[in-house]
Amino acid sequence: MSRPAGIVATPYADLPPVLVDELAAAGLDPEAVHAAVVAALAEDLPDDRGDVTSVATIPAGTRGAAAFGAREPGVVAGLAIAELVFVYVMGDEVVVSDRLADGAGVVAGDVVMRVEGPVRGLLCAERTALNFASHLSGVATATAHWVAALEGTAARVLDTRKTLPGWRALQKYAVRCGGGVNHRLSLSDMAMVKDNHVIAAGGVVPALEAVRTRFPDVPVEVEVTDLDQLRALLEAGCDRILLDNMDTAALAEAVRINAGRARLEASGGLTLDRAREVAATGVDFVSVGALTHSVVVFDLGMDLEEAR
């Protein structure tokens, strides 16, 4: 993108090493995150006029400070990405302080990050920084609610591949921030035999054996819809089985039949109200697509504290 007036457009090579290292330590690709920030800002800054409102109303050189604050209780995520937005826009002219760690719990009124720099730059970066942090904090907060509901049981909450296109790594990172567990990241790191594969292969066991033959080193999970399929897979030595859309009684019976031989995952239309009931059956995992496909954005705001 062309460089809008007053925007530094910090290249990846000039990002603060400590920020790059933090993103990498979180399991993210820092260069991909930078590219996502560049693309997001290009939506707001399509030409060299920049932020026309701020350019018209704020004298060049005016500096100020702003606080990012939580307006509801929850778990924050994506604050390092928000910092990267400000650094991209203002380079070393911005100072970020008091930033909470991703995964921190907050209540309404908590300051999660402070930024100081050129006011035009602060306001230019504001919405993009909030979009990243609010969305990812929403994922982390939703996940934390499921973790709390499962507390005291052996079950863990899993995410799914029902992610926003281009946002999978970020959303799955936010799930980790909320205390959840990532399922497969792609179609190649784990085989997931679903109903359509079962139909095409001629049954759950033939599908399992087909994967084992073609990709012997790839973990495989098979979806079942009834207990007869479960029994057949256990007989075949399947060690991870997804129990799809089963009621509580069927889940409990599946756990009894399994007797610890395979890891069992409950899936399909699960709700937070039913979480503990499902976990109490003894399943190992509950998978929840709503963590990422139905995100309720977390309410964060940026308030300018002073200008000089």
Side-chain angles (χ1 to χ4, degrees):
M1 85 189 213
S2 61
R3 182 182 301 182
I7 302 302
V8 174
T10 305
Y12 175 74
D14 291 343
L15 292 178
V18 66
L19 185 56
V20 172
D21 291 345
E22 180 182 354
L23 292 169
L28 296 170
D29 178 345
E31 195 162 3
V33 174
H34 178 266
V37 167
V38 172
L41 279 161
E43 295 175 333
D44 267 343
L45 305 169
D47 57 47
D48 61 7
R49 292 175 298 173
D51 175 3
V52 295
T53 310
S54 294
V55 168
T57 60
I58 302 166
T62 303
R63 291 186 63 85
F68 262 56
R71 295 173 176 172
E72 62 178 319
V75 174
V76 292
L79 296 181
I81 301 169
E83 177 174 344
L84 194 157
V85 174
F86 287 104
V87 171
Y88 178 78
V89 171
M90 290 172 280
D92 57 12
E93 292 187 272
V94 68
V95 176
V96 177
S97 62
D98 300 326
R99 175 162 63 82
L100 297 184
D102 284 355
V106 297
V107 297
D110 282 353
V111 173
V112 303
M113 181 171 71
R114 296 184 189 276
V115 288
E116 181 179 354
V119 175
R120 286 184 179 181
L122 294 177
L123 298 183
C124 177
E126 174 186 7
R127 176 45 50 196
T128 298
L130 284 171
N131 284 347
F132 278 106
S134 296
H135 180 91
L136 297 178
S137 295
V139 174
T141 297
T143 305
H145 289 157
W146 277 86
V147 171
L150 300 178
E151 188 174 358
T153 75
R156 303 288 304 278
V157 62
L158 290 174
D159 57 21
T160 72
R161 285 175 44 252
K162 296 175 182 178
T163 53
L164 295 176
W167 274 68
R168 179 167 298 163
L170 295 178
Q171 288 189 305
K172 283 181 174 282
Y173 165 65
V175 167
R176 298 195 299 273
C177 289
V181 178
N182 293 152
H183 207 289
R184 60 180 180 160
L185 297 176
S186 71
L187 290 171
S188 61
D189 59 309
M190 177 182 182
M192 182 72 198
V193 177
K194 304 279 284 182
D195 53 354
N196 286 330
H197 303 105
V198 170
I199 292 170
V204 289
V205 173
L208 171 66
E209 296 299 342
V211 174
R212 284 175 167 173
T213 299
R214 183 65 179 83
F215 298 105
D217 297 326
V218 174
V220 57
E221 180 173 9
V222 182
E223 175 186 281
V224 301
T225 56
D226 61 56
L227 298 179
D228 286 338
Q229 291 177 323
L230 171 68
R231 292 185 182 94
L233 286 173
L234 291 173
E235 200 58 37
C238 186
D239 61 5
R240 185 154 181 168
I241 300 171
L242 185 149
L243 308 171
D244 185 48
N245 281 300
M246 292 189 179
D247 61 26
T248 304
L251 290 173
E253 180 63 8
V255 171
R256 187 194 68 78
I257 293 168
N258 181 55
R261 287 177 284 179
R263 289 177 295 172
L264 299 181
E265 173 186 339
S267 182
L270 302 181
T271 62
L272 197 56
D273 289 341
R274 191 180 167 221
R276 195 165 192 84
E277 174 186 315
V278 170
T281 65
V283 295
D284 300 287
F285 302 103
V286 294
S287 57
V288 184
L291 298 180
T292 53
H293 73 54
S294 301
V295 182
V296 176
V297 172
F298 186 76
D299 194 0
L300 289 170
M302 190 185 94
D303 295 307
L304 201 64
E305 294 182 331
E306 60 179 294
R308 58 183 185 275

